[in-house]
Structures are given as structure tokens and as C-alpha cells.
Amino acid sequence: ASVADRVVIPMQDVLGYAGEARMNTPGEESGNWGWRFAAGAIRRDHARRLRSLAELFGRLPVTGN
């Protein structure tokens, strides 16, 4: 519901993953920024959820006739 023009949503949040998919652990010198996801992990229900949120908060592109 932010008034910001852009948003960054971590894929771990979109996919509903828990801490095992964490990208960065503060205070750790190594092992950060190594998380990857498989293309097959993204399902239609993820897209529907993102679309419903975009619609709810007025974030869908305006199309003109």
C-alpha cells in the first residue's frame, strides 16, 4: 500500500520459502548472496497472488483504448 513508484519483492517471499532460502545473514563473512531458485518453482498460483495484490493496491498498468 506504499505510495512508492517501485517495489522490490524477494523471490523467497513470493514463493513462501522460510529461512532456509535466506540470501544474507548479517555478521556472516561467507555464504551470502548464493541462493538461487529453479524456474519450475514459480507456479500459476504465485502469479495469481501477485496480480491480485497489484489489483488491490492499484498497481496494474492502465491500458487505453
Side-chain angles (χ1 to χ4, degrees):
S2 171
V3 298
D5 290 338
R6 307 265 189 296
V7 63
V8 175
I9 303 171
M11 282 304 295
Q12 297 93 320
D13 292 347
V14 171
L15 298 172
Y17 291 169
E20 74 274 1
R22 187 180 183 118
M23 281 194 317
N24 185 21
T25 303
E28 294 290 324
E29 292 183 27
S30 63
N32 291 317
W33 309 106
W35 182 81
R36 300 286 187 266
F37 75 97
I42 302 170
R43 300 182 315 259
R44 287 193 187 271
D45 60 309
H46 297 123
R48 282 192 292 268
R49 173 84 173 126
L50 289 173
R51 181 177 177 84
S52 70
L53 289 170
E55 186 173 25
L56 176 66
F57 294 107
R59 298 297 184 149
L60 291 179
V62 177
T63 58
N65 294 351

